[in-house]
Amino acid sequence: MARDDRADQGPEEALPMLRWLRLLVTSLAAVMGLGILAIVALLWLRLSEAPLPQLPDQIALPDGAQPAAITFARDWIVVVTEAGEILLYDQQGRLKDQASAPVSAP
């Protein structure tokens, strides 16, 4: 009787798909590692940005108004308050125009 050589083979030769499975698992681990590094890099880039600009000192808001957004244009400074008012100032800080915007509920 001939000797069966298959009994002496290692696990990779005994199960040919084991090598393929190990390659897939290793690839998945590498891709997940790269994904985590990409997420950390994006968070670091976004969170290390400069803070939002502050309202210049020469601009005086109406009593009780809290700024929600500030936009600096070439000749104007636009301030949107939390109450939904839109205030348009010139570069010297003088109020030029005022409007109200609809405020959406949270």
Side-chain angles (χ1 to χ4, degrees), residues 35-59:
I36 289 173
L37 286 176
I39 290 171
V40 168
L42 287 173
L43 284 173
W44 180 73
L45 287 173
R46 295 290 281 164
L47 296 177
S48 66
E49 287 182 356
L52 295 176
Q54 295 296 318
L55 190 62
D57 292 333
Q58 72 263 24
I59 293 180

Side-chain angles (χ1 to χ4, degrees), residues 50-75:
L52 295 176
Q54 295 296 318
L55 190 62
D57 292 333
Q58 72 263 24
I59 293 180
L61 293 176
D63 290 334
Q66 294 294 322
I70 304 169
T71 301
F72 296 93
R74 186 170 293 142
D75 298 327

Side-chain angles (χ1 to χ4, degrees), residues 4-102:
D4 187 9
D5 291 334
R6 289 181 288 166
D8 293 336
Q9 295 173 348
E12 289 185 12
E13 291 80 21
L15 299 171
M17 293 302 287
L18 190 58
R19 172 178 274 162
W20 175 247
L21 181 62
R22 185 170 55 179
L23 178 66
L24 286 177
V25 170
T26 304
S27 300
L28 177 64
V31 168
M32 285 182 6
L34 290 173
I36 289 173
L37 286 176
I39 290 171
V40 168
L42 287 173
L43 284 173
W44 180 73
L45 287 173
R46 295 290 281 164
L47 296 177
S48 66
E49 287 182 356
L52 295 176
Q54 295 296 318
L55 190 62
D57 292 333
Q58 72 263 24
I59 293 180
L61 293 176
D63 290 334
Q66 294 294 322
I70 304 169
T71 301
F72 296 93
R74 186 170 293 142
D75 298 327
W76 305 99
I77 298 173
V78 181
V79 178
V80 179
T81 65
E82 290 181 355
E85 291 180 303
I86 301 170
L87 307 172
L88 183 64
Y89 292 90
D90 63 5
Q91 291 296 332
Q92 288 75 32
R94 292 185 301 258
L95 182 63
K96 291 295 184 180
D97 200 4
Q98 184 174 355
S100 62

